[in-house]
Structures are given as structure tokens and as C-alpha cells.
Amino acid sequence: QVQVVESGGGLVHAGGSLRLSCAASGSIFSIGLMGWYRQTPGKQRDMVASITSGGTTNYADSVKGRFTISRDNAKNTVYLQMNSLKPEDTAVYYCNAVTIHYGRRYDYWGQGTQVTVSS
């Protein structure tokens, strides 16, 4: 079992920056991929950025060049630095941790943190 807890959301003006953090605990040795997703009311949860245990990153097109995901394996923490924020970035942001056990994928989610960008 893995637990993930997000922090760092809040209200910011357009053009501003926020940094989200996600701390993992539990069976952390089994965590491979970690990432950030976001969701707005009535819409599906979409991937924002992901990072492997080796540091390979992937970003949604809408955030490329503005957001940076990083990972500190020693602290079992993943970060999302969000710059040049836009009102359309407003959403609940969820941290995700993935483990693979006997070939089966298990996804673990945090409780979410609200990011609101005012125009």
C-alpha cells in the first residue's frame, strides 16, 4: 500500500507561480511512475505531468514550457513547479503514484489540492 499527500495549492493571479508537493509513504520501494493530474467539475481527470523513477518526464501539451515536474527519491516526494499560470489551469490537482505487482498496475491517489488562477 502507498499513501500520497499533496500540498501547495492556492489562489494566484494569472502569470503567477505555484509549487505543488506530493509526499509518498508506505510501500515506497515499489513506486515507479509518479505524476500529477487535474480535474475540473464535470470533466475527466487529465494527466498534467509524469516522471519515472529514473527521471524521465512527460507533459501535457497545454503545460509544456510552463510546468516542471521533479522528483526527490530520497524524500519520496514529487514536485510540480507551475509558472506563467493561466485561468484555464484552475482545477483540483491530484498526485498519482503507480506500482506494478505481479504484472498488475496499481494506482494510488491523493486527496487533491485546489489551484485557482484568477484573471
Side-chain angles (χ1 to χ4, degrees), residues 41-116:
K43 295 190 176 181
Q44 68 179 19
R45 191 173 296 185
D46 293 325
M47 193 278 291
V48 175
S50 66
I51 186 167
T52 68
S53 56
T56 299
T57 58
N58 186 37
Y59 295 93
D61 288 343
S62 60
V63 306
K64 283 180 181 177
R66 300 188 299 122
F67 291 10
T68 302
I69 190 170
S70 60
R71 181 169 178 169
D72 186 334
N73 288 326
K75 295 182 178 180
N76 308 309
T77 301
V78 64
Y79 305 95
L80 185 67
Q81 178 66 43
M82 304 185 293
N83 298 328
S84 302
L85 282 160
K86 304 175 180 179
E88 51 263 43
D89 294 317
T90 295
V92 178
Y93 284 69
Y94 296 91
C95 181
N96 169 258
V98 176
T99 66
I100 303 293
H101 192 62
Y102 290 108
R104 184 172 180 178
R105 172 174 171 148
Y106 294 85
D107 285 78
Y108 298 91
W109 298 93
Q111 78 286 355
T113 185
Q114 177 70 46
V115 171
T116 303

